[in-house]
Amino acid sequence: MTLPFQGIGASVRRKEDLRFISGRGHYTDDINRPGQLHAYIKRSDRPHAKILSIDTAAAKAAPGVVAVFTGADTAALGSIPCGWQIHNKDGSPMAEPRHPMLAEGFVRHVGDQIAVVIAETRQQAKDAAELLAVEMEDLPSVANVTDAIKPGAGVVHEGIAGNLCYDWHIGDKAAMEAAFAQAAHVVTLDLTNNRLIPNAMEPRAALGDFDSSTDDYTLYTTSQNPHVIRLLMGAFVLGLPEHKLRVVAPDVGGGFGSKIYHYAEEAIVTWAAGKLKRPVKWTAERSESFMSDAHGRDHVSTARLALDKDGTFLALHVQTLSNMGAYLSTFATAVPTYLYATLLAGVYTTPAIYAEVKAVFTNTVPVDAYRGAGRPEATYLLERLVDAAAHDTGMDRIAIRRKNFIPRDAFPYQTPVALQYDSGDYFTTLDMAMKHADWAGFPARRAEAAQRGKLRGIGVSTYLEACGIAPSKVVGSLGARAGLYEVANVRVHPTGSVSVFTGTHSHGQGHETTFAQLVTDQLGVPFSQVDVVHGDTAKIPFGMGTYGSRSLAVGGSAMVKAMDKIIAKGKKIAAHLMEASADDIEFKDGKFTVAGTDKVKTLGEIALTAYVPHNYPIEELEPGLDETAFYDPKNFTFPGGCHICEVEIDRDTGVVRVVNFTAVDDVGRVVNPMIVEGQVQGGVAQGIGQALLENAAYDADGQLLSGSFMDYTMPRADDLPNFNVSTENTMCTHNPLGSKGCGEVGAIGSPPAVINAVVDALRDYGVRHLDMPATSAKIWGIIEAGRPKMAAE
Amino acid sequence: MYDFAFQTPASVADAVKLLADPEARPLAGGQTLIPVLKQRLNKPTTVVDLSRLGLSGITVSGTTLTIGATTTHRTVARSAEVKQLIPALAALAGMIGDPAVRYRGTIGGSLANNDPTADYPSAALALGATIKTSARSIAADEYFQGMFATALQPGEIITAIEFTAPEKAAYEKFSNPASRYAMVGVFVARGPKGVRVTVTGAGQNGVFRHTAFEAALSKSWSPDALNGIATPVDSMNADIHGSAEYRAHLVGVVAKRAVAKTL
């Protein structure tokens, strides 16, 4: 029987999908432990206040209530930690205020945890929470970064002057200034990267369990990285050693970054389970998600580009205010620095770049990495700025890009902002995207649309991003408080089936399929004989989890390394069985052969021998066929590509429709083309959402105005066209797979393509820039304001 | 939600009796009440389920269309009788919410709730419908009394809505991008009540008749007849999705599109 090809490059159907689409997934909230209690968290409805008193007596006396805890009970425990320390321009460390599990005297954002009520049922906990008497005194508050740094603004944390977390910079200021002094053109653009609320389909949940007979704690949680949670919560917050704390992240229904971080609720239920000697479960309601899941983006920037008279970029100067929210979430501080400012070279040869970033506290939900994390902000700024440069200088948008692209033969390419790109070909992705989008035919389509009364525009974005953040030595020197390698354990069972234990985590990405394909490809084991296991610190040796599109490039590479060890050991066993030298053994398609002979042993035979070592080189080799590898990458990977968006605007209402969207991405080696296409489509949908629809709106004081789906516009299927998605790949040169990562490219490349298209559609109205989201109301305002001007001309 | 008693009466009289309790709440399709209960914004003693009162169904007598109060939006949208007699009404029902909402939501529930962004009030007012209740008949002109306010007395429930077929009618809406409720919905009708133009979603005080548009369309039933006729900005809602000026502008755009649908 010939099996269909299911190795690298095959669009194998996702093996996890039957479970998910038939309701047999097993999520955190599906787990129930004997004697389980339920936690309800009383949250602040005020943006900033001093807690004068909390009277818990009535709540404690309510039916079914087992305990009520406030900040007074948890004050001796550690602070929710921040995983990355940034240093100021002057070398001093960033301001790092305490981030308590439960509010200690102050609430600092709407949604901040004041108290937890634990009862026999969720209903009872919720009922009792209404009996909590919390006396508060409002304090001056501030929601946006530009207000927060003004003198006299509300102070989020006592003692942190000007609400400044850090004032950081990168690049060569003198070189930048010298280049600007020589420039023929200087293009300036002020722009905002709108705040987003992630809204994974599954709300966050956490279940803490404690076994008083062994003192073992277990936390079941909606996490993208259970080992990281074990480290952060165990070591920094609760003081629990690793061997007494197991963290399980079972099926997780979407993360997009929001489930990377260690959240207070995880520590609360774990600590409370130990205290009460009973399991404690908390599951967020959707409205809680809006005000307690880390938000994304929220930058305000000024960018200046210096060009010579021919349009060659000479220098870039960027000043950014980044909103941290009220507390520092796990990776919040790294996002606007090492995941943002280091990307400001983009795909261009700009020789001098200087970026200054101020991270600012406000009375809002903490902000952290959200699909793309820093790279969408950099890409949006750069690709809008390049379009503005074309606009201001009269150059063609495509020509100015081509003129400044990093040449194909310039790799490895060292940027002036720390990164060294290993590979890429921005000319090919641009050419292919223009072809697929029929760029040349656009003027005719615009004219035809005009006859229908529509304003049609086309926009391009040529982007680059960085995935698989690494190596550990470098990120450590930059302030990371963890390593960024990945771990794989490959276990060949006695009869030849394989279990792979990976430190990455799948919450929609399809790892169970993609990683099984790697095993099928490398070990020649049928796809059906491979299982991928993830999400449990008791099963997986170690791992850093899934974010930053790292799972295949870093986690997959660890698997390749572990399988290399399997093959090396298998060769020794095969050599013994076939009475040959190990150097003469070849391994291909699941078979060990002696070179130049017809002697053959299958992997299954070798595995059986390894576990039943009756005829075995026991003096030289241990039994078993089970190998672990830790893989620490040499560099980031650098996916890139070109997105082209075409929009039509209804003059009467200002409504923007995306009518065509073309993506040609370079993601390196593709293991499963169908899954890659799905990843890109999902990312593009989120990018279009940011560009046209989504906005976390706060009033000036910090009340969340878009606190539900009634007011927060999530993109829906009918907001989106069919996407034309393809890849043109160059290989990553430093990992064994050649893969670069595909999880975020869609969300990174698309927003500027959309806005560039909207601006193009509105070019007759004198529009040079507009901020996201390009809502119909905003565009109608522009059209209205432009009407008299149009009439006069 | 808070605890409450749940009753499923078998007759209108029994339902009315149960609703004599001022803290009891009637449940039709539940598309508003259930979310409100889940958010603990309402704490009823009893929820009175109206689904077993025999109030679902559509009947036609000459040019009169009678729709039972608990008839779902889906049923109205797909009804051959409604499509034939008042196609605009069937089209409107098909534009409410999403399929799940249309399977559960009812015409009586929508009119009793009188959400300022609901679709049905515009049709009832524009078509001069008669709201039949457990106690009486109420003309639509008297029925709508501002947002979430109606002529219904405590304990009074809608049993049916009676429409007379117009000569021409159409409904058009501009949906709120997030909630997909009507940001501006306009129903235009020409029939026994003359020319009527009603606006839902946009106004600060719920559904209203746009008399300036009505006068213009009475002279000439065409989209262009509405050119240059302003909608008072100060009566419009404003929120993060759009200013009062934008809504006032959209009222004109949407009204023209509704008229164009009838041509």
Side-chain angles (χ1 to χ4, degrees):
Chain A
M1 185 182 73
T2 311
L3 291 169
F5 173 62
Q6 295 183 307
I8 293 175
S11 285
V12 181
R13 291 279 186 95
R14 304 198 336 162
K15 59 160 74 178
E16 47 270 80
D17 282 351
L18 180 59
R19 177 166 101 245
F20 293 146
I21 64 179
S22 61
R24 283 174 284 182
H26 200 56
Y27 298 87
T28 300
D29 191 56
D30 295 327
I31 298 169
N32 293 296
R33 304 290 299 155
Q36 176 176 294
L37 298 168
H38 296 263
Y40 181 78
I41 303 209
K42 167 79 175 173
R43 295 181 186 278
S44 176
D45 57 3
R46 308 184 191 201
H48 196 196
K50 184 173 187 184
I51 300 174
L52 303 174
S53 66
I54 305 176
D55 184 348
T56 61
K60 278 178 174 162
V65 172
V66 174
V68 178
F69 297 115
T70 68
D73 300 297
T74 56
L77 296 164
S79 170
I80 306 286
C82 177
W84 203 303
Q85 186 180 48
I86 300 297
H87 288 81
N88 291 303
K89 285 174 177 170
D90 65 7
S92 59
M94 67 186 189
E96 199 170 355
R98 181 172 163 83
H99 182 179
M101 277 161 59
L102 292 166
E104 294 168 1
F106 297 89
V107 289
R108 295 190 174 88
H109 67 86
V110 170
D112 207 353
Q113 312 83 236
I114 296 173
V116 58
V117 180
I118 298 170
E120 298 289 344
T121 71
R122 185 174 165 69
Q123 192 74 5
Q124 288 170 331
K126 212 169 167 178
D127 287 343
E130 293 184 7
L131 303 174
L132 286 168
V134 185
E135 208 186 339
M136 293 199 276
E137 179 187 304
D138 285 323
L139 294 171
S141 57
V142 65
N144 74 64
V145 282
T146 38
D147 289 345
I149 58 166
K150 284 180 189 158
V155 176
V156 180
H157 293 276
E158 254 178 87
I160 298 180
N163 293 315
L164 196 63
C165 174
Y166 56 73
D167 179 7
W168 174 90
H169 65 162
I170 191 170
D172 188 336
K173 185 179 183 184
M176 177 276 292
E177 284 174 345
F180 269 90
Q182 307 278 320
H185 305 282
V186 171
V187 176
T188 302
L189 190 64
D190 294 322
L191 70 182
T192 295
N193 204 288
N194 45 326
R195 177 187 276 242
L196 303 176
I197 302 178
N199 277 309
M201 194 182 290
E202 179 204 20
R204 284 190 298 117
L207 166 57
D209 199 356
F210 176 70
D211 184 337
S212 56
S213 67
T214 59
D215 286 348
D216 286 342
Y217 287 84
T218 304
L219 169 67
Y220 303 89
T221 183
T222 48
S223 177
Q224 301 178 214
N225 30 238
H227 286 87
V228 174
I229 300 306
R230 187 180 65 171
L231 175 72
L232 295 175
M233 185 178 80
F236 295 96
V237 185
L238 300 183
L240 300 173
E242 282 90 342
H243 71 296
K244 287 292 168 197
L245 174 59
R246 175 185 172 202
V247 178
V248 182
D251 283 335
V252 173
F256 313 108
S258 71
K259 292 171 181 167
I260 299 171
Y261 324 116
H262 173 41
Y263 285 96
E265 293 87 354
E266 295 171 319
I268 291 169
V269 297
T270 307
W271 171 79
K275 190 116 178 136
L276 302 173
K277 311 263 186 288
R278 288 177 69 180
V280 178
K281 183 195 271 190
W282 168 81
T283 301
E285 298 181 357
R286 180 60 65 181
S287 51
E288 282 186 282
S289 304
F290 273 91
M291 57 172 136
S292 70
D293 291 4
H295 292 179
R297 318 278 193 257
D298 205 342
H299 283 194
V300 175
S301 299
T302 297
R304 294 193 305 138
L305 182 67
L307 303 92
D308 74 7
K309 62 179 177 16
D310 300 326
T312 302
F313 302 163
L314 301 176
L316 174 65
H317 181 205
V318 174
Q319 292 167 298
T320 293
L321 297 174
S322 171
N323 198 336
M324 294 285 104
Y327 303 101
L328 297 180
S329 179
T330 307
F331 285 126
T333 52
V335 174
T337 48
Y338 295 108
L339 296 175
Y340 164 71
T342 52
L343 270 295
L344 288 170
V347 293
Y348 308 111
T349 54
T350 316
I353 298 175
Y354 179 65
E356 301 168 89
V357 179
K358 286 181 179 165
V360 179
F361 291 108
T362 61
N363 295 109
T364 62
V365 173
V367 180
D368 207 324
Y370 169 68
R371 202 169 193 172
R375 293 98 84 206
E377 295 90 319
T379 301
Y380 180 69
L381 177 142
L382 210 49
E383 290 303 295
R384 282 295 306 126
L385 186 61
V386 170
D387 258 34
H391 174 273
D392 293 2
T393 62
M395 281 188 75
D396 176 71
R397 293 179 280 171
I398 302 295
I400 199 170
R401 284 179 166 83
R402 278 197 220 277
K403 188 176 190 64
N404 290 284
F405 275 168
I406 298 163
R408 289 187 179 97
D409 60 3
F411 296 92
Y413 176 79
Q414 178 63 51
T415 75
V417 274
L419 300 179
Q420 190 188 78
Y421 306 159
D422 62 333
S423 65
D425 177 357
Y426 315 123
F427 295 90
T428 298
T429 47
L430 173 63
D431 290 345
M432 293 308 292
M434 288 175 71
K435 191 175 155 204
H436 294 173
D438 185 21
W439 182 275
F442 175 73
R445 295 195 293 279
R446 181 175 164 102
E448 183 277 329
Q451 290 186 348
R452 288 184 281 112
K454 304 278 197 226
L455 304 167
R456 194 161 173 128
I458 194 166
V460 63
S461 152
T462 50
Y463 76 95
L464 166 141
E465 61 131 336
C467 296
I469 178 170
S472 295
K473 183 180 172 184
V474 172
V475 297
S477 73
L478 300 178
R481 288 165 168 161
L484 285 162
Y485 48 83
E486 197 43 74
V487 186
N489 170 225
V490 175
R491 186 171 299 166
V492 183
H493 298 294
T495 60
S497 64
V498 176
S499 293
V500 179
F501 299 83
T502 171
T504 65
H505 187 276
S506 189
H507 30 278
Q509 294 87 342
H511 291 176
E512 291 169 46
T513 302
T514 303
F515 290 167
Q517 288 180 254
L518 296 185
V519 176
T520 293
D521 204 88
Q522 192 171 348
L523 295 184
V525 176
F527 182 76
S528 63
Q529 296 292 302
V530 185
D531 256 357
V532 176
V533 181
H534 60 85
D536 187 344
T537 61
K539 293 180 183 168
I540 318 293
F542 204 76
M544 297 310 296
T546 287
Y547 41 82
S549 304
R550 70 193 298 275
S551 298
L552 182 62
V554 188
S557 293
M559 289 172 55
V560 170
K561 293 282 184 192
M563 288 189 285
D564 285 346
K565 293 184 186 179
I566 294 281
I567 293 166
K569 185 171 181 180
K571 282 182 175 175
K572 290 179 187 168
I573 301 168
H576 174 86
L577 291 179
M578 296 189 283
E579 296 174 336
S581 159
D583 293 339
D584 293 333
I585 305 294
E586 289 171 352
F587 180 74
K588 195 168 176 261
D589 298 334
K591 294 187 185 74
F592 293 91
T593 54
V594 181
T597 74
D598 58 359
K599 289 185 178 176
V600 60
K601 291 284 176 191
T602 65
L603 180 67
E605 290 173 292
I606 296 301
L608 191 62
T609 306
Y611 287 97
V612 188
H614 295 162
N615 176 15
Y616 194 82
I618 201 80
E619 298 299 325
E620 299 124 53
L621 217 52
E622 294 169 12
L625 201 53
D626 185 328
E627 297 288 350
T628 297
F630 282 57
Y631 174 76
D632 200 74
K634 295 188 184 72
N635 193 357
F636 290 79
T637 64
F638 297 98
C642 178
H643 290 186
I644 294 176
C645 180
E646 207 164 321
V647 299
E648 276 190 10
I649 295 173
D650 178 347
R651 266 182 232 263
D652 293 332
T653 61
V655 169
V656 182
R657 295 293 307 174
V658 177
V659 289
N660 285 318
F661 196 97
T662 306
V664 178
D665 299 296
D666 173 1
V667 298
R669 173 103 52 221
V670 172
V671 174
N672 184 317
M674 177 195 72
I675 288 178
V676 168
E677 186 174 350
Q679 283 285 326
V680 175
Q681 287 181 351
V684 169
Q686 279 172 298
I688 292 173
Q690 170 165 28
L692 297 181
L693 305 167
E694 296 182 55
N695 193 40
Y698 277 98
D699 74 8
D701 292 329
Q703 279 295 343
L704 181 59
L705 302 176
S706 58
S708 81
F709 289 129
M710 292 295 283
D711 286 305
Y712 187 84
T713 313
M714 286 296 278
R716 304 187 197 192
D718 66 354
D719 291 315
L720 306 166
N722 286 324
F723 305 135
N724 181 347
V725 170
S726 60
T727 61
E728 286 290 334
N729 299 306
T730 63
M731 294 302 120
C732 170
T733 61
H734 57 78
N735 71 38
L737 284 166
S739 297
K740 299 184 179 183
C742 67
E744 296 162 292
V745 292
I748 291 168
S750 57
V754 177
I755 296 298
N756 287 346
V758 171
V759 170
D760 183 50
L762 295 171
R763 64 190 179 204
D764 294 340
Y765 292 83
V767 174
R768 177 175 177 265
H769 175 70
L770 80 167
D771 280 323
M772 301 186 287
T775 61
S776 60
K778 194 182 283 179
I779 291 186
W780 174 76
I782 289 168
I783 290 173
E784 272 302 286
R787 249 184 241 287
K789 180 171 166 286
M790 299 272 293
E793 274 170 5
Chain B
M1 50 182 80
Y2 298 106
D3 279 346
F4 51 79
F6 190 80
Q7 296 280 355
T8 305
S11 72
V12 171
D14 287 348
V16 168
K17 222 175 282 172
L18 289 163
L19 289 166
D21 170 1
E23 301 302 317
R25 300 287 300 155
L27 173 71
Q31 296 308 293
T32 300
L33 182 62
I34 299 295
V36 163
L37 293 178
K38 283 172 76 175
Q39 291 174 70
R40 297 188 160 211
L41 296 173
N42 201 305
K43 194 176 180 177
T45 49
T46 307
V47 169
V48 180
D49 175 13
L50 307 182
S51 68
R52 306 279 172 83
L53 304 182
L55 299 180
S56 297
I58 295 164
T59 55
V60 175
S61 167
T63 58
T64 302
L65 177 74
T66 305
I67 302 178
T70 56
T71 308
T72 64
H73 308 326
R74 179 175 185 272
T75 302
V76 174
R78 295 164 68 103
S79 158
E81 292 90 341
V82 181
K83 281 182 187 171
Q84 196 189 341
L85 219 56
I86 316 179
L89 191 62
L92 175 149
M95 292 160 74
I96 300 172
D98 56 26
V101 168
R102 294 194 289 273
Y103 263 94
R104 295 293 311 176
T106 70
I107 186 168
S110 173
L111 292 174
N113 192 45
N114 193 21
D115 187 305
T117 61
D119 300 288
Y120 266 133
S122 67
L125 188 59
L127 295 171
T130 302
I131 317 295
K132 303 207 153 199
T133 78
S134 48
R136 58 191 165 135
S137 290
I138 310 171
D141 290 355
E142 276 81 52
Y143 179 80
F144 298 103
Q145 303 194 347
M147 58 168 158
F148 298 109
T150 69
L152 290 175
Q153 294 299 307
E156 185 176 10
I157 57 175
I158 299 176
T159 54
I161 300 91
E162 204 175 86
F163 297 92
T164 306
E167 278 170 53
K168 285 173 185 285
Y171 179 66
E172 180 69 23
K173 79 168 155 180
F174 187 93
S175 297
N176 175 310
S179 71
R180 301 287 175 98
Y181 276 90
M183 197 148 127
V184 174
V186 179
F187 202 102
V188 296
R190 190 169 78 189
K193 301 276 179 184
V195 168
R196 284 202 174 187
V197 179
T198 57
V199 180
T200 188
Q204 284 174 5
N205 208 25
V207 66
F208 67 92
R209 282 176 61 186
H210 201 307
T211 48
F213 282 5
E214 289 176 357
L217 291 174
S218 298
K219 284 187 202 139
S220 163
W221 183 267
S222 74
D224 286 344
L226 301 178
N227 285 342
I229 303 177
T231 300
V233 170
D234 54 10
S235 65
M236 295 285 109
N237 281 323
D239 60 17
I240 59 172
H241 302 287
S243 61
E245 289 78 10
Y246 183 49
R247 281 182 167 79
H249 165 77
L250 286 178
V251 168
V253 172
V254 174
K256 284 186 187 183
R257 289 180 180 180
V259 174
K261 270 189 177 178
T262 68
L263 300 177

